Every structure is written in C-alpha cells, then in structure tokens.
Amino acid sequence: MTGTAPVPFTADDYKARMDRAARQAADAGLAGLLVAPGPDLVWLTGYAPPAVTERLTLLVLAAGREPVLVVPTLEAPDAEKATGAPALALRDWTDGKDPYALTAALLDAQGRFGVSDNAWALHLLGLQKTLPGTSYVSLTEALPMLRAVKDAAELERLAAAGAAADAAFEEIRNVRFSGRRESEVAADLAALLRRFGHSQVDFTIVASGPNGANPHHEAGDRRIERGDMVVLDFGGLRDGYGSDTSRTVHVGEPTEEERRVHDLVREAQEAGFRAVRPGAACQDVDRAARAVIADAGYGEYFIHRTGHGIGVTTHEPPYMIEGEEQPLVPGMCFSVEPGVYLPGRFGVRIEDIVTVTENGGRRLNDTERGMVTVD
C-alpha cells in the first residue's frame, strides 16, 4: 500500500501562505519574518536547499512588500525551480560578497523581526552586526499558530500518513517479538513505514519491559521476553507530512495489573479525544486525559504533556498541556497520547493524531486501542 500521489501544491498555494505569514507578522507588531532553510521555508515556498551550509539563504517577508529569497548564486538555479518561486523575487550573492549587506537593504533598520527557530546564530549575529538597531524573536514565540491550522490538501496528506502508520502497526503486530532485540523490531517498523510510503522515518521506539517506563527510550539490544509489555511509538514523513502513533502490546498474556493499567490509559486517551472541539483550550485536552489517570491513583506516573501539533514536522505547536489557553480551531492537528510509566516495571502509551472538525474531533489513526497480544 503506497496510495495515490497527493494533489501537488501550486505557486498560488505558496503565495497565499507567504501573504498570510506577512499579515500575521504585521498584526503581531513585527516588521517582518526572516525564514532560514528548514520546515518553515519548505512550507512557505516549496524550496529546500540541496544542502544546508554556512552560506546564507533567507526568505524575507513583510506586509505590503514582495517576498524576497536571498540565496547563494551557486544555488539560485535550484531555488528558481521551486514551486513557490514565481511568487517571490530572488536575490543572489556570490562568494566573497557580503550577504548581510544585501539582506540589510531589504530590512527596516530599526525593526523587530520574527526568525525561524532553526536559523544559524552565525547568520543572525551577522545581521545584528550590520543592522545594530534591529531585534529578533523566535517564530515559535511570535507566531506559534502560523502552521497550526491545516487546509484540506494538508489534512489529506496527514490522513494518508496516519493510514500508512496504521498499516505498519497491523503488520508489526504479526511479527515475532519474543527472543528478538528491540532494535530488530524497530528496524522492521522503519522498513514498514517506508514500504507504506514514508520518505523519512523520524523515530521507531520499541521499549520492552522496564524500558517502557522511559517515554523516549531508544530501541537497544535488550531481548524482548515473554511477559513483557512493549511500547511502540513510531512515525515520520509521507509526502511531506507527519505521522506519529503509539500502541502498547503484550508478549503473551498480561497480568491483571498490566491489563488494568492498559485499560486506564485507553480510557484517558478516549477522554482526551472527547475533549476536542472548536473553542476548547488546548489545556482542556490535557486536563481531561490527566484527570482519568490521576483519579485512579497513577497521576505521578503520567510525566509528559498529553499532545503536540503535527504537520510538516512531527512535533510543532500547539501543545496539549496545562497553561496553554490557545483555543482549538478546525483544521488543527495534534496527538492525544497519555501514558503511565512505572519505573523498573513497564509503561503504557496510546496515541492517535486528531484533527479538530466543525463540531468535535476526528482521529487520523484507527488501529486497535485495546490490549493486543503478540508472540
């Protein structure tokens, strides 16, 4: 199952994104946005440099002005081929020239700018030296919701990525676990994600027995044994959009306690999902899931937020956590993934990607959430 190719994004799609980003920057009191190579640049323009190097590449966005992409001359031909290139102007610079002087001519010398989170300090300091009157704030801090609300085409890609991850789970539950190393099962998961259309595998957590109590355990050499609970958390990018799902399986028949904890996490995950609706705060999802676990006496063992946004990266705003009052809006996509982690014993996590609809939420993962036993 690789599925059909998604409808390609057009130059008009990228122009609309750049226009919206510039307007949001102005509404936030910023003179503009400076976007370095990375997921923001790809989302805004469709351009990913062939290699991220010390040479400055920077998209400059400001309301009422034409977007400008500053690129090294040797990479300009690639930039010109980007789908979003017709919606912007290219300004190239050659080795030996000062790219910061070129960029400075595009900026308000006293302006405050939003800067993509992965911009190099080298480049930001170079701009500050050239324009000492400027100041900067991270894009996540200034415009955390910039990529949060997905359009129909983006939702289609996220749904396809979720379906591919589900297909990988349906396959992996049929392989042998007992006697194999965690790393071997993780390799199987990675191969399945690629078989089902993923171009990039970001993580394949296989956490067996006591390792399951570490939410971000890296699959290692531990041999999985009969009687182990095994947390599976895996995802990556398919057609440029992310997948991320978790299921917890058991090798052989579980004990009564293991089944009870698994049922508790499933109930918490369902409560978090049912809290999703337009206008609810992000923290409401966290509160709903956390209350179920706390009321059962396991609150101290739920040690992370309930969820994170997903899109062109597998982790992005918004975050489902206490204190996040951002209202949910139709088109937002995020994980709902409560867990219980008992040190030295086992852990349980159940995770779906959920999108906000006009009247509630819709899961983008739909594999079995009850206890699954494996061999």
Side-chain angles (χ1 to χ4, degrees), residues 9-348:
F9 296 124
T10 66
D12 287 343
D13 292 326
Y14 291 116
K15 181 180 187 305
R17 292 177 185 178
M18 287 188 279
D19 288 346
R20 176 155 58 94
R23 287 196 306 271
Q24 290 186 13
D27 291 344
L30 299 174
L33 301 180
L34 307 178
V35 184
D40 289 312
L41 185 63
V42 173
W43 183 79
L44 286 163
T45 69
Y47 176 56
V52 179
T53 71
E54 73 284 355
R55 292 184 174 95
L56 178 71
T57 296
L58 201 67
L59 174 68
V60 179
L61 296 177
R65 299 184 188 177
E66 183 180 27
V68 178
L69 182 62
V70 176
V71 294
T73 300
L74 76 169
E75 293 174 5
D78 292 308
E80 290 171 349
K81 295 175 185 176
T83 304
L88 52 78
L90 287 178
R91 298 285 185 273
D92 64 307
W93 62 277
T94 57
D95 287 349
K97 302 295 184 180
D98 183 353
Y100 307 115
L102 172 63
T103 306
L106 305 171
L107 306 182
D108 177 348
Q110 303 299 318
R112 181 171 174 79
F113 295 89
V115 182
S116 54
D117 296 359
N118 52 347
W120 284 24
L122 170 73
H123 300 318
L124 196 58
L125 292 170
L127 284 174
Q128 282 185 314
K129 184 177 180 180
T130 305
L131 291 177
T134 54
S135 60
Y136 305 91
V137 60
S138 76
L139 204 52
T140 290
E141 180 182 345
L143 299 178
M145 296 299 111
L146 178 62
R147 303 194 322 249
V149 179
K150 276 64 179 179
D151 62 25
E154 291 181 293
L155 290 174
E156 181 182 337
R157 293 184 186 218
L158 283 161
D166 282 359
F169 176 72
E170 294 295 353
E171 291 281 338
I172 203 69
R173 62 184 287 185
N174 294 318
V175 309
R176 183 170 58 85
F177 280 66
S178 178
R180 301 179 69 210
R181 299 184 190 278
E182 292 174 338
S183 57
E184 294 174 315
V185 178
D188 288 345
L189 265 175
L192 286 167
L193 286 171
R194 292 191 177 94
R195 195 218 299 178
F196 293 124
H198 280 62
S199 60
Q200 178 176 314
V201 176
D202 288 342
F203 49 89
T204 51
I205 294 173
V206 178
S208 63
N211 289 339
N214 176 1
H216 281 176
H217 171 71
E218 296 236 354
D221 289 337
R222 184 182 186 275
R223 289 196 181 274
I224 301 169
E225 303 172 355
R226 292 196 67 79
D228 279 348
M229 196 83 92
V230 184
V231 178
L232 305 173
D233 183 352
F234 50 97
L237 297 182
R238 184 183 191 273
D239 294 317
Y241 281 75
S243 68
D244 186 359
T245 188
S246 300
R247 294 294 186 261
T248 304
V249 301
H250 197 277
V251 186
E253 286 301 311
T255 65
E256 181 179 339
E257 181 192 20
E258 288 170 332
R259 191 175 291 278
R260 184 174 68 250
V261 172
H262 192 280
D263 287 347
L264 173 66
V265 174
R266 180 177 59 173
E267 182 184 349
Q269 206 268 348
E270 178 67 20
F273 169 69
R274 292 192 178 280
V276 176
R277 63 185 183 280
C282 291
Q283 67 181 2
D284 293 341
V285 179
D286 183 83
R287 288 174 174 177
R290 198 168 299 277
V292 173
I293 292 172
D295 289 349
Y298 287 87
E300 67 182 291
Y301 303 112
F302 181 9
I303 56 177
H304 56 72
R305 64 198 175 203
T306 294
H308 57 82
I310 189 169
V312 292
T313 57
T314 49
H315 282 215
E316 62 185 45
Y319 298 102
M320 307 301 113
I321 189 170
E322 181 66 31
E324 179 51 80
E325 297 178 350
Q326 168 68 41
L328 299 181
V329 177
M332 283 183 175
C333 291
F334 48 84
S335 66
V336 178
E337 52 176 308
V340 168
Y341 308 94
L342 303 178
R345 302 183 62 206
F346 64 90
V348 177

Side-chain angles (χ1 to χ4, degrees), residues 276-278 330 356-361:
V276 176
R277 63 185 183 280
V356 184
T357 65
E358 294 297 331
N359 55 11

